[in-house]
Amino acid sequence: DQAVLTFHGVPGFDVYNPSIPFVWTGGTYLYARIERRSEWARSWVRLFRQTGQDDWTLVPDSMIYQLEDPYISKIDDQLVMGGTHVRYSRGKIDTFYGYFYRGEKLDDMTYFTTGPDHMKDIRLVEMANGHIGVFSRPRYEPSGPAARAADIGFTVIEDLDQLDAHIIDKAKPIDGLLQPDEWGGCNQCYLLDSHLIGVAGHKACRIVDEQTGRASMLYTNIAFIFDPEHHQLETVKLIGTRSCYPAGPAKMPELADCAFTAGLVPRTDGRMDLYSGIGDTQVGRITIDNPFAGYGRIITPF
């Protein structure tokens, strides 16, 4: 089963790199990035409500966030929405940060903290003891301690009021997840009843065509199991590539093989729907086997 999602209410804009769909106050929603095809790093995040199978409509008068690549989690019975804010200086990109909002009302989320400089893909998950697991994405300079552009780290905080750039920046890297020529990040995290954490994420690398010398980006959907007690990776799986989704356009030729994971939604038949941004222009959905099978059952879907 595969589909490209249809979005209404934002004519002239591509809709891509969404959060997972989530149920809240009687409706099913998702946040998604919107951007004109001809522009880059000039996007907004908007709220959409499900109006049919793979069909979504903009929530009228909902808040407009100057963010990229949103995600959603539920912490202590409230929503936490995060995304990447790109900062410009004199018309050029200067840096970017993770911004975080929280609240119980979708139309009244409160901005409450900012992640470290030059860090995307910070994700949160409520743990069995009430503490909060924090996945980070530290970057490295070419002359730094690792050859890859970015890694994945993990730390624990006691409550949301402790979440700040310093805590996130000190998260300990997870060994064995990425190869030296790869980078990646978490996109959605799930507490399992085994107290392990199931993660839907992405892994990427740069591919150079030997004949033309042209470089392109390969982004793939992955899932992995993390043991927070021992800070140990249990397993990692490839769960989707761009070719798994229906054919469609790419924002630029070098993004034709880009599948940027949103996350997994459990189905009643025991399988899962995997949502992903594709080509930086659309949102795709495919149905896959449960990648967390054998490691525990998801306690809450988000």
Side-chain angles (χ1 to χ4, degrees):
D1 187 17
Q2 59 173 223
V4 171
L5 276 57
T6 299
F7 291 89
H8 307 280
V10 285
F13 287 85
D14 290 327
V15 183
Y16 65 104
N17 292 8
S19 73
I20 59 167
F22 62 97
V23 177
W24 198 254
T25 60
T28 301
Y29 300 89
L30 61 71
Y31 288 97
R33 175 178 178 174
I34 69 168
E35 191 171 51
R36 294 183 181 92
R37 183 74 57 87
S38 61
E39 297 179 333
W40 179 75
R42 187 171 180 257
S43 63
W44 296 270
V45 165
R46 301 299 307 272
L47 180 67
F48 296 84
R49 181 167 181 158
Q50 188 172 27
T51 46
Q53 177 67 31
D54 300 315
D55 192 89
W56 300 81
T57 300
L58 180 72
V59 176
D61 302 320
S62 56
M63 187 177 293
I64 301 173
Y65 300 89
Q66 196 170 0
L67 298 173
E68 299 177 351
D69 307 343
Y71 97 100
I72 194 79
S73 62
K74 187 169 70 173
I75 306 292
D76 194 24
D77 292 325
Q78 65 179 321
L79 294 174
V80 176
M81 191 272 281
T84 300
H85 175 75
V86 178
R87 190 179 76 185
Y88 279 77
S89 177
R90 301 182 179 181
K92 296 182 180 180
I93 294 176
D94 179 39
T95 185
F96 50 83
Y97 304 91
Y99 276 13
F100 293 87
Y101 298 76
R102 64 183 176 186
E104 297 180 2
K105 298 179 180 179
L106 288 175
D107 58 353
D108 192 21
M109 301 285 280
T110 301
Y111 166 66
F112 74 98
T113 197
T114 301
D117 186 23
H118 274 86
M119 187 183 291
K120 301 180 178 183
D121 304 329
I122 302 161
R123 298 294 186 264
L124 310 178
V125 59
E126 189 167 32
M127 302 174 69
N129 60 2
H131 292 176
I132 302 165
V134 181
F135 287 90
S136 70
R137 185 179 181 262
R139 291 167 54 91
Y140 300 108
E141 298 299 328
S143 59
R148 52 183 168 267
D151 215 330
I152 297 175
F154 179 81
T155 191
V156 176
I157 57 176
E158 292 183 1
D159 56 58
L160 284 176
D161 291 334
Q162 292 184 341
L163 187 69
D164 63 13
H166 177 75
I167 288 288
I168 298 167
D169 210 27
K170 296 299 181 182
K172 181 181 176 182
I174 300 171
D175 293 332
L177 186 54
L178 299 169
Q179 298 300 312
D181 60 344
E182 297 174 333
W183 66 92
C186 297
N187 295 86
Q188 193 71 33
C189 310
Y190 307 82
L191 178 66
L192 307 181
D193 60 7
S194 59
H195 294 186
L196 299 174
I197 299 173
V199 178
H202 66 275
K203 183 183 288 191
C205 64
R206 179 183 172 93
I207 303 295
V208 178
D209 188 294
E210 295 183 356
Q211 293 183 339
T212 65
R214 178 176 293 178
S216 62
M217 301 298 176
L218 174 64
Y219 276 75
T220 60
N221 310 132
I222 64 168
F224 65 89
I225 301 293
F226 180 70
D227 179 349
E229 181 178 356
H230 300 98
H231 199 92
Q232 181 174 311
L233 177 70
E234 293 294 323
T235 185
V236 59
K237 300 176 180 179
L238 176 68
I239 58 173
T241 65
R242 177 62 187 89
S243 62
C244 297
Y245 299 87
K251 192 177 187 73
M252 295 177 279
E254 54 265 37
L255 297 174
D257 287 325
C258 179
F260 186 77
T261 310
L264 296 158
V265 176
R267 295 164 52 101
T268 57
D269 61 5
R271 305 185 77 199
M272 290 194 173
D273 282 330
L274 169 60
Y275 289 82
S276 180
I278 46 177
D280 274 13
T281 61
Q282 297 177 306
V283 178
R285 177 187 62 81
I286 59 175
T287 302
I288 65 171
D289 293 334
N290 179 5
F292 308 143
Y295 290 92
R297 181 181 59 86
I298 293 177
I299 293 179
T300 55
F302 72 98

